[in-house]
Amino acid sequence: MFILLQATGGIRNEVNTFLSDYAVPVIAMLLIVGVGIGVVMNYDKIIDRDGQGTRKEGIVNLLWVVGYIIIGLAIIAAVIALINSKLKMSL
């Protein structure tokens, strides 16, 4: 039984190491890249290149993109928390 607890704790440590070393930087990168893509897609509207008053529309579109990214990241965080809770329950 002691060996089983050590093995399970080792798996939990491996998952925590993976999350802290890889998942957090990847999630941060996805957020930054997503905002960059949103700015590039709406750049003409944000700077109101044609003078048609599209700045507000461009900023709202950018906020929608950021909102979808945040929702996606929240789903990923929920899955990570679920996996972490399952590992804790097996101890």
Side-chain angles (χ1 to χ4, degrees), residues 3-64:
I3 296 171
L4 177 64
L5 289 176
Q6 280 185 332
T8 307
I11 292 171
R12 193 167 113 210
N13 289 336
E14 291 291 327
V15 169
N16 286 335
T17 301
F18 171 77
L19 291 177
S20 64
D21 289 347
Y22 298 106
V24 172
V26 167
I27 290 171
M29 182 192 68
L30 288 175
L31 181 62
I32 292 169
V33 168
V35 170
I37 289 172
V39 169
V40 169
M41 287 175 26
N42 293 297
Y43 184 71
D44 288 337
K45 290 181 181 179
I46 291 172
I47 64 168
D48 196 17
R49 181 173 292 203
D50 299 331
Q52 298 177 354
T54 59
R55 181 169 298 169
K56 181 178 177 182
E57 180 183 352
I59 292 173
V60 169
N61 288 344
L62 179 61
L63 291 175
W64 276 105

Side-chain angles (χ1 to χ4, degrees), residues 8 12 79-91:
T8 307
R12 193 167 113 210
V79 169
I80 290 171
L82 179 66
I83 291 170
N84 199 12
S85 71
K86 294 293 182 184
L87 289 176
K88 285 181 184 176
M89 291 173 70
S90 65
L91 287 175

